[in-house]
Amino acid sequence: MSNMTEVKIIFTGTMGAGKTTAINAISEIKTISTEAVATDETAQRKETTTVGMDYGEVTVDEGLVLRLYGTPGQRRFRHMWEILAKGALGFVILVDNARPAPLEDLSIYLDNFKNHIAASAAVIGVTRTDVSAQPDIDAYYQYLAEREEMHPVMTVDVRRREDVLMLLDSLLLSREFE
Ligand SMILES: Nc1nc2c(ncn2[C@@H]2O[C@H](COP(=O)(O)OP(=O)(O)OP(=O)(O)O)[C@@H](O)[C@H]2O)c(=O)[nH]1
Ligand SMILES: [Mg+2]
């Protein structure tokens, strides 16, 4: 008999925001990934893109195992978004701050997963702030306040394990206080 609790967490957000990188940074098992050579606009930035899903696992507390699922960023794979979101207890939305309209990018995922997030929790991780510092954290909080959807927002470098764990801690905390 095992007294492990398992929780499903989704990493979503625009292409290149760092979903695959984040899961790889913290997974205790060899991650499962579905990278394909990028042929479209992604190709200018990086060589591969997720076409199905990422999967990894991390134990955060004794007995609490997080099952980490990464969605594809590209809209043309969005049929996978709904499949992966089923039964998730938390959403990590990664936003690439170096793209032209990061707040609009964020809105795509807040809108798409609205019902799922309302029934669970979300945290927003702003990535690539070394490339572009604007919009700043205040702008994100102001935007969320306008939408009347309050979620924690933090800047992260998803290549750093501590940063990704901080996102997950914040997500789990916001669930505890619901
Ligand atoms: N400069 C900079 N690069 C970063 C940062 N975080 C992640 N990266 C890089 O950004 C890229 C993110 O790529 P992926 O992890 O494949 O992104 P993804 O969200 O899985 O993308 P798709 O699967 O195509 O939707 C990687 O090359 C990372 O090394 C950051 O804070 N600063
Ligand atoms: Mg990916």
Side-chain angles (χ1 to χ4, degrees):
M1 274 273 287
S2 150
N3 54 4
M4 288 288 203
T5 305
E6 295 173 358
V7 170
K8 181 180 185 181
I9 305 287
I10 304 295
F11 284 72
T12 193
T14 44
M15 50 188 171
K19 305 170 294 290
T20 300
T21 304
I23 291 175
N24 277 311
I26 57 169
S27 182
E28 292 157 356
I29 62 162
K30 190 175 182 314
T31 54
I32 296 164
S33 60
T34 56
E35 294 300 285
V37 175
T39 49
D40 51 17
E41 56 179 300
T42 322
Q44 297 160 12
R45 294 252 316 275
K46 58 194 183 88
E47 284 176 7
T48 66
T49 188
T50 304
V51 295
M53 61 177 249
D54 304 298
Y55 179 74
E57 291 177 7
V58 67
T59 311
V60 285
D61 267 328
E62 228 174 292
L64 180 60
V65 178
L66 303 184
R67 298 187 173 278
L68 313 168
Y69 292 82
T71 70
Q74 296 185 64
R75 260 170 182 283
R76 63 190 170 111
F77 300 120
R78 79 187 272 182
H79 58 279
M80 283 303 297
W81 295 0
E82 198 54 37
I83 293 170
L84 293 173
K86 256 188 202 114
L89 289 187
F91 288 77
V92 177
I93 303 177
L94 296 179
V95 183
D96 177 353
N97 223 37
R99 278 173 43 96
L103 295 173
E104 279 171 36
D105 289 343
L106 172 60
S107 75
I108 293 172
Y109 299 88
L110 288 174
D111 290 344
N112 189 81
F113 293 110
K114 197 178 181 79
N115 295 337
H116 289 289
I117 291 171
S120 59
V123 61
I124 293 148
V126 183
T127 69
R128 300 167 69 91
T129 52
D130 53 324
V131 183
S132 170
Q134 296 296 329
D136 62 11
I137 290 288
D138 284 349
Y140 279 90
Y141 277 117
Q142 196 182 329
Y143 176 73
L144 288 172
E146 280 161 18
R147 290 183 59 115
E148 298 185 16
E149 290 172 74
M150 292 315 287
H151 305 294
V153 183
M154 51 195 74
T155 59
V156 286
D157 184 334
V158 290
R159 296 167 296 187
R160 292 163 50 96
R161 185 169 189 273
E162 315 86 85
D163 284 22
V164 184
L165 291 176
M166 187 177 71
L167 275 173
L168 292 173
D169 275 348
S170 160
L171 185 62
L172 294 170
L173 272 175
S174 68
R175 281 190 55 78
E176 271 172 34
F177 293 119
E178 265 170 16

